[in-house]
Amino acid sequence: MNAISPSQINDLLNRVRRRGYRNYLLSMDLKKVRGFVDAHVRFDFPVTALVGPNGAGKTTVLGAAGLIYADVQPRRFFARGGTYDASMQGWKVEYEVYSGGTSVPRTASYTEATADVTRSKWNRKGVARPVKVIGVSRTLPLTERTDVQRFAKGDFVGVTEESFTAEVVSAVERILGKRAADYLQVHADEQGKYSILALKPSSQASPGYSEFHFGAGEASIIRIVSEIESVEDEALILIEEVENGLHPIATRRLVEYLIAVCRRKGCQVIFTTHSNAALSPLPGEAVWSSYRGKLTQGKLDVESLRALTGEIDARLAVFAEDRFGSLVAEVTLRRFGDLTDQALDLKGVEIHALGGAAQARDQARHNNANPARRFNALALLDGDKSRQSDYLPAAREDLNIDGSPFVTFFSGTSDPEAVIVEQLADLIERNGRVLPRLTLALQMDTGHENRVGEVLRTRLLTNTDRHEIFKEIGEDLDFLGEEVTARAFVSTWANFHEAEVRAVWEPVSSHLPLLSDAA
């Protein structure tokens, strides 16, 4: 199992768009469930990640996804604790489901017991589809599980031992980075109801051991993979806290495995997570953020959720469209501070990458509209948005704080990657000081400036996607990291384009925190 390629990601996105599945959950409308009212979520990619702070509703969305399928008991996610739970009267979820190759609208709603209704119940016409729920109990230490105490005896011998399939072994080895052929599942009864994992002896020096001595992540991976490999094709797989007990590298590899399973078996996976590593293999369409009763699509750094929920101590939050936009914001804001007479409190500014222009604008607007806000927020958008009325403060009063705009734009009318690399290349031809500065910023000796210039000219001709150009330039320059390369270009551009830097931040300068105003 290798890392998933961009073409494979696009193939899966296109398969969903063209309705290429016989069984698939296309979308849900949470009309009213717990903290959600009229919240919409689409499953545009067969692996969907739900991110958000604790208590934000990730598990609610996960449970709602399974609720419409007959295999899932409603109480698995929506148990009623008698008189100690608030009324669930009026809870309702509407679905667009593909079943047997046909689009089937469905609704699940909850009715409380009344004089006319004998008992409280969920009303749903359950759709037939295999569903596998993998909960957080998979990482619970065996010493805390009552169902395996029969194994904790010195004279225990399993009734049967079962080796894992080649598919399970291969996937586990890829995820854990270690040999997995000697793992066993040991059953304590003929029916296989009670079992634990074990590693059989491979030599006198390696006598083997039972799951009582496994690491939590090791056992979790083996159980997840073995359960997923045993599900039927086109099943729905729901996983709580996919990264639980795992190193970030193993988490990323596990998500890559989940994508591969969806390609191979036509399955659909939805998981909750707090891990950036779990999001890294996924396209933006596969990530949904949950906070304040809202669901928003787009890849989002998990740390950014602190800002979205107001959980930061900063004096200002800046929301950019993506990671490169956040780098541009950081570098140009620092440069703007150098160009002004008043010192900016840059330590009081937190910059966050969101999942697009609309999300950056809306999060800044949502924050600033809150009368109880603890900090102001700005949105820095790409230059192409400066021609669209939906993003212009002059055209929309809700994009201002007390009459002053909180949305600003980068230079140019296209993606900032294109603006920076093309303007810098043009300046290099006219100003002999630029290329040496860029070479030093790339952490290279100035004796290599001709090589840097040649690589830049070549990549301007051969590159077909400006979002990838800094990665490609870095690879050509002895595999410099993309982050190092991008930062070098942005900082050099900012040093030679003072007017453009001022044009970015002067329209919103009244919101920038000053050291002189710090408490």
Side-chain angles (χ1 to χ4, degrees):
M1 181 180 60
N2 298 316
I4 305 300
S5 69
S7 64
Q8 292 169 334
I9 295 290
N10 288 332
D11 286 345
L12 288 171
L13 286 167
N14 289 330
R15 185 175 177 183
V16 176
R17 292 188 188 109
R18 68 173 186 268
R19 302 296 189 262
Y21 290 87
R22 282 180 49 79
N23 294 301
Y24 196 88
L25 176 58
L26 293 166
S27 66
M28 297 190 306
D29 285 290
L30 283 69
K31 308 305 289 186
K32 181 182 179 184
V33 182
R34 290 193 178 126
F36 294 104
V37 177
D38 292 329
H40 177 75
V41 56
R42 298 188 313 276
F43 301 98
D44 295 330
F45 191 72
V47 178
T48 299
L50 304 171
V51 301
N54 291 328
K58 300 185 298 298
T59 302
T60 297
V61 178
L62 191 76
L67 180 63
I68 199 57
Y69 292 104
D71 268 8
V72 178
Q73 292 296 318
R75 64 176 176 272
R76 172 62 179 80
F77 291 98
F78 302 108
R80 175 70 189 276
T83 59
Y84 296 98
D85 279 333
S87 172
M88 301 194 313
Q89 177 68 34
W91 283 17
K92 182 179 180 181
V93 185
E94 296 178 350
Y95 302 84
E96 184 181 3
V97 177
Y98 238 63
S99 180
T102 303
S103 179
V104 180
R106 284 286 187 267
T107 300
S109 61
Y110 188 82
T111 303
E112 289 278 9
T114 63
D116 299 321
V117 180
T118 58
R119 63 186 181 90
S120 302
K121 64 177 181 178
W122 279 97
N123 304 293
R124 59 173 186 159
K125 185 177 180 182
V127 176
R129 185 186 186 185
V131 179
K132 184 67 182 180
V133 180
I134 302 176
V136 294
S137 61
R138 66 184 182 275
T139 54
L140 189 67
L142 262 63
T143 53
E144 298 180 20
R145 286 174 47 190
T146 59
D147 62 316
V148 297
Q149 294 309 305
R150 67 190 66 207
F151 296 93
K153 299 177 182 179
D155 59 350
F156 170 76
V157 177
V159 173
T160 59
E161 296 177 357
E162 181 182 355
S163 296
F164 291 102
T165 66
E167 291 81 7
V168 172
V169 171
S170 175
V172 170
E173 288 181 342
R174 166 64 182 168
I175 296 168
L176 294 180
K178 60 187 291 187
R179 176 179 167 82
D182 293 330
Y183 286 116
L184 297 170
Q185 191 159 28
V186 180
H187 300 286
D189 60 318
E190 294 288 354
Q191 294 74 34
K193 182 178 180 181
Y194 300 100
S195 66
I196 63 170
L197 302 173
L199 185 68
K200 64 183 179 182
S202 58
S203 67
Q204 190 173 10
S206 180
Y209 49 88
S210 75
E211 190 178 346
F212 286 100
H213 302 284
F214 277 35
E218 181 182 16
S220 175
I221 288 297
I222 298 169
R223 292 193 181 281
I224 288 176
V225 172
S226 61
E227 290 185 35
I228 288 176
E229 289 299 331
S230 66
V231 301
E232 299 177 43
D233 289 358
E234 301 184 349
L236 173 64
I237 301 167
L238 306 175
I239 307 175
E240 297 183 82
E241 298 185 19
V242 73
E243 77 280 7
N244 209 15
L246 301 180
H247 186 278
I249 294 176
T251 299
R252 189 193 72 242
R253 290 173 178 170
L254 174 58
V255 175
E256 290 172 351
Y257 163 73
L258 296 175
I259 297 171
V261 166
C262 291
R263 294 181 64 236
R264 173 164 49 91
K265 303 182 66 168
C267 292
Q268 181 177 7
V269 178
I270 305 171
F271 65 77
T272 65
T273 187
H274 296 95
S275 169
N276 283 326
L279 307 183
S280 61
L282 297 172
E285 295 92 333
V287 181
W288 285 81
S289 306
S290 173
Y291 47 91
R292 291 177 176 166
K294 296 185 181 298
L295 294 168
T296 308
Q297 187 179 35
K299 190 171 287 191
L300 172 68
D301 188 294
V302 172
E303 285 299 310
S304 299
L305 289 168
R306 293 173 54 245
L308 302 187
T309 56
E311 299 172 5
I312 66 172
D313 297 324
R315 300 173 62 194
L316 175 72
V318 177
F319 298 123
E321 291 192 33
D322 51 28
R323 283 185 179 277
F324 186 75
S326 67
L327 172 63
V328 169
E330 174 201 338
V331 173
T332 58
L333 185 58
R334 189 175 300 278
R335 179 61 176 152
F336 182 72
D338 294 338
L339 296 172
T340 57
D341 294 332
Q342 293 178 305
L344 298 180
D345 180 16
L346 296 177
K347 291 185 178 180
V349 180
E350 284 205 7
I351 300 172
H352 299 280
L354 299 190
Q359 190 173 359
R361 174 203 61 196
D362 292 346
Q363 293 311 325
R365 181 176 60 191
H366 176 79
N367 175 86
N368 297 333
N370 181 3
R373 68 181 182 272
R374 296 187 297 170
F375 54 86
N376 286 340
L378 302 177
L380 172 61
L381 308 182
D382 296 352
D384 59 333
K385 307 304 185 301
S386 64
R387 296 185 174 185
Q388 301 178 29
S389 60
D390 279 352
Y391 300 98
L392 293 176
R396 296 186 54 168
E397 292 184 358
D398 62 348
L399 299 184
N400 295 268
I401 308 174
D402 299 328
S404 181
F406 59 79
V407 174
T408 189
F409 304 91
F410 186 63
S411 179
T413 57
S414 60
D415 295 327
E417 294 93 337
V419 172
I420 287 173
V421 74
E422 291 168 9
Q423 288 189 358
L424 207 52
D426 180 66
L427 189 61
I428 285 172
E429 299 299 321
R430 298 182 285 107
N431 187 332
R433 296 185 299 121
V434 179
L435 187 56
R437 290 283 295 271
L438 175 61
T439 304
L440 289 174
L442 287 165
Q443 303 177 12
M444 301 176 68
D445 186 84
T446 52
H448 294 92
E449 61 185 66
N450 289 336
R451 183 182 172 207
V452 171
E454 181 60 31
V455 167
L456 175 57
R457 286 189 290 272
T458 300
R459 279 301 176 185
L460 282 170
L461 294 173
T462 61
N463 169 263
T464 58
D465 182 355
R466 290 297 190 247
H467 293 97
E468 299 290 323
I469 194 166
F470 297 121
K471 177 181 178 181
E472 294 172 355
I473 291 173
E475 290 173 349
D476 292 344
L477 295 173
D478 297 328
F479 294 98
L480 282 178
E482 182 178 3
E483 173 73 17
V484 172
T485 306
R487 182 176 290 274
F489 272 80
V490 175
S491 60
T492 305
W493 179 91
N495 283 326
F496 287 94
H497 291 81
E498 294 183 7
E500 288 85 348
V501 171
R502 288 181 179 274
V504 172
W505 294 108
E506 282 180 348
V508 295
S509 59
S510 63
H511 303 304
L512 301 179
L514 303 176
L515 285 172
S516 59
D517 296 332

